[in-house]
Amino acid sequence: MTGSARSLALWAGVSVLAAADPGAAAGPPPGATAGAPPGAVSCAGCHAPAAVGGPVPDLTGRPAVEIVAAMQAFRGGTRPATVMDRIAKGFSDEETRAIADWLSAPGGGEARRAGP
Amino acid sequence: MPGRRAVLRGLGAAGAVMALGAPAVLAQAPPRVVVVGGGFAGATCARAVKRADPTVAVTLVERSPRYTACPMSNAVIAGLRDMGAQEFGYDGVAAEGVELLRGAAVAVDPQARRVRLEDGTALPYDRLVLAPGIDLRFDALPGYDEAAAERMPHAWKAGPQSLLLRRQLEAMEDGGVVVMAVPANPYRCPPGPYERASLIAHYLKTHKPRSKLVILDAKDAFSKQRLFEAAWQELYPGLIEWVSLSFGGRVTEVDAASKTLVTEFGQHRADVATVIPPQRAGAIAAAAGVADRSGWCPIDPVTFESTLQPGIHVLGDAAIAGAMPKSAFAANGQAKVCAAAVVTLLRGETPPAPKLVNTCYSLVAPGYGISVAGVYHPKDGLLREVEGAGGTSPPNAPPETRALEARYAEAWFHTITSDVFGGAGR
């Protein structure tokens, strides 16, 4: 399944299982930023890996559909927010999906799995 | 290597990790990236280049063994935080395979692609990243030089200056006058002076309630102004006086001996004065020929490569990043975008257009935080704000929101410093 086909499945909301299929991901090596879609590397500025902890949720490894839905709700003002409503409005559906796919891919995001 | 990505794609994620070392075997010599400056931008970039391509030899040149972070340092000044919480080491950066070089870069030969250090060491590079932060301009405000800063601290580089200002506030008698001088744009951390004013006001209200704070400003408007002013009204009524440019706020001269600040309209005698002078990119930027007449560094908004010198990238506070403010959050994001671009350029490929985010929290009191956010993209050769996104916290938010943002401010600092310096860095 190609990246665009995965996105299409997400968009249609018909194939949650397919979206989470790790074998389909052509993701970057763990912690790499070179393959990150536009905007994705900024998430880690606030969203720490679980090991670091804190009140802001870790996004790495979360299902892409969940991240997309949250961003859409932030953008539409239907989910309470402090700052994510303002940030979500800066990303299109397509960009949001690409970021969500990257974060949810195994070894994706900037998970500190390879680092100290 | 146009075929490499296609090959990686075919291998899948697990294969990609193993295949990553292969180009080093094929290449004659590993590409060399030198990063100058170990702050939020430089330390992030050095790690991110190494992560994106472990075959690249990355050297980080930094003069200090430890980094003292500016964000949250206004809380140190106000006695709400220990300086130790601001300090970070480079063990986490080194553990990632970055070579650390203690020293100061003093010259760059862009043609020969070499950086020269103070001790004479010459470092060859394929790509150079300059992240020197700011230099305070001790030639810009008559009377304000390094000696004057020992009487009227700038505290705009966190460290001994922050503690000096804190001690002066602690030594001041109740009923004293604190005067702040704030420069025109651009400067490091646009809302920083007003956060400082807020937290000093908190200290005065708590410990020396008959005292006053005067802000002499070279501007008529400032970051998060509506939120700051509303909070001052609510929390510190009658304590803070903000004098704008139009009302004679611009400081034209200081006399350190008498702690006097001279403006176009008159003179202010201070018991404690903090003078934030005009700034420019760190000295290596001018030495490398990447700073323009403004003292800051114009860059390409996709790669952060200097528009004045090919092969040299400029990040963080030193760069002219269009609508992006000079903040630690911005520096961290820019560094990751630049690292990916550097690795892509080393492969002879073209980096894609990035999108960047900024989020800046300010504390106006313990448990009372406000924020400004923005999303940015390259447009017409500059980083511009994405329209319809970003902005400040709402003006009419309930106390719970302010408390939550104060908590997020703390969390952000912990997260970003872990991201930049790594867990082993503390």
Side-chain angles (χ1 to χ4, degrees):
Chain A
M1 200 175 193
T2 66
S4 58
R6 285 178 64 207
S7 298
L8 208 66
L10 273 174
W11 182 233
V14 291
S15 182
V16 175
L17 273 175
D21 174 15
T33 55
V41 294
S42 291
C43 303
C46 292
H47 292 269
V52 172
V56 183
D58 179 9
L59 297 177
T60 55
R62 290 281 267 263
V65 273
E66 205 181 281
I67 296 170
V68 169
M71 287 289 275
Q72 282 171 342
F74 284 135
R75 211 181 312 150
T78 56
R79 180 172 168 154
T82 53
V83 73
M84 277 314 299
D85 49 347
R86 293 174 257 158
I87 293 170
K89 286 179 185 137
F91 293 90
S92 67
D93 282 331
E94 198 184 357
E95 289 169 329
T96 303
R97 279 197 303 277
I99 293 170
D101 283 350
W102 182 74
L103 288 167
S104 67
E110 290 178 273
R112 208 151 286 281
R113 286 157 199 157
Chain B
M1 258 167 285
R4 185 168 166 216
R5 283 193 170 175
V7 171
L8 293 187
R9 232 173 256 135
L11 287 170
V17 177
M18 291 188 296
L20 204 73
V25 181
L26 303 175
Q28 293 87 350
R32 294 153 304 185
V33 172
V34 175
V35 181
V36 174
F40 285 94
T44 301
C45 189
R47 291 183 80 150
V49 168
K50 199 71 195 169
R51 282 182 175 207
D53 188 344
T55 67
V56 177
V58 183
T59 304
L60 176 63
V61 180
E62 166 58 46
R63 69 181 83 205
S64 308
R66 292 180 74 73
Y67 182 71
T68 307
C70 274
M72 307 298 279
S73 67
N74 283 323
V76 175
I77 291 166
L80 298 167
R81 189 175 174 88
D82 288 331
M83 187 53 102
Q86 301 299 113
E87 292 173 357
F88 300 89
Y90 292 100
D91 293 352
V93 178
E96 202 113 19
V98 172
E99 187 199 358
L100 290 175
L101 205 57
R102 275 280 291 289
V106 291
V108 177
D109 182 340
Q111 272 71 47
R113 300 214 167 194
R114 264 199 304 265
V115 186
R116 191 161 55 77
L117 307 190
E118 208 166 31
D119 67 3
T121 308
L123 295 176
Y125 65 81
D126 294 297
R127 293 254 158 204
L128 173 64
V129 178
L130 296 180
I134 57 157
D135 270 1
L136 300 163
R137 289 189 54 192
F138 287 115
D139 59 347
L141 179 59
Y144 198 71
D145 54 15
E146 281 180 276
E150 293 303 310
R151 295 259 309 156
M152 307 164 102
H154 54 78
W156 216 240
K157 291 188 176 188
Q161 278 273 309
S162 319
L163 294 174
L164 175 62
L165 180 54
R166 174 173 169 166
R167 285 196 304 274
Q168 289 185 352
L169 289 166
E170 285 165 355
M172 189 183 84
E173 294 199 3
D174 189 8
V177 177
V178 180
V179 183
M180 282 183 70
V182 182
N185 292 323
Y187 59 90
R188 161 180 282 178
C189 189
Y194 313 97
E195 179 188 66
R196 175 174 297 181
S198 305
L199 295 181
I200 288 177
H202 174 77
Y203 172 80
L204 296 177
K205 183 186 170 184
T206 312
H207 299 280
K208 287 150 195 184
R210 293 189 294 114
S211 309
K212 288 262 181 294
L213 170 62
V214 180
I215 307 167
L216 300 174
D217 206 329
K219 299 187 294 301
D220 275 327
F222 59 86
S223 174
K224 307 179 209 175
Q225 180 166 359
R226 196 173 163 197
L227 295 170
F228 274 117
E229 289 186 324
W232 294 345
Q233 197 72 42
E234 181 191 338
L235 302 173
Y236 316 117
L239 203 157
I240 299 177
E241 182 191 355
W242 177 61
V243 185
S244 67
L245 172 67
S246 300
F247 286 84
R250 191 169 78 89
V251 175
T252 55
E253 191 180 345
V254 301
D255 179 57
S258 62
K259 290 193 181 172
T260 302
L261 296 91
V262 182
T263 66
E264 276 149 354
F265 287 24
Q267 296 196 349
H268 296 259
R269 246 278 304 146
D271 294 295
V272 172
T274 172
V275 174
I276 304 165
Q279 297 146 35
R280 64 179 157 227
I284 187 64
V290 295
D292 69 12
R293 281 179 164 198
S294 71
W296 306 101
C297 308
I299 47 102
D300 177 276
V302 173
T303 59
F304 289 85
E305 187 166 1
S306 167
T307 56
L308 302 177
Q309 295 288 355
I312 305 179
H313 302 251
V314 187
L315 294 177
D317 291 353
I320 301 173
M324 289 193 87
K326 299 186 187 303
S327 76
F329 193 112
N332 173 252
Q334 291 169 4
K336 290 174 184 175
V337 165
C338 175
V342 162
V343 168
T344 306
L345 288 166
L346 287 171
R347 289 174 184 161
E349 294 168 13
T350 306
K355 215 150 186 187
L356 285 143
V357 175
N358 179 61
T359 305
C360 278
Y361 291 100
S362 302
L363 285 178
V364 293
Y368 191 128
I370 53 177
S371 65
V372 63
V375 184
Y376 308 87
H377 60 167
K379 206 176 173 188
D380 310 323
L382 289 171
L383 281 165
R384 295 192 192 274
E385 264 193 276
V386 175
E387 279 179 39
T392 66
S393 314
N396 52 357
E400 303 81 65
T401 304
R402 306 299 190 213
L404 203 53
E405 291 218 287
R407 197 165 155 235
Y408 287 162
E410 286 271 0
W412 166 78
F413 184 79
H414 181 59
T415 299
I416 201 124
T417 53
S418 302
D419 188 73
V420 175
F421 299 101
R426 291 300 304 271

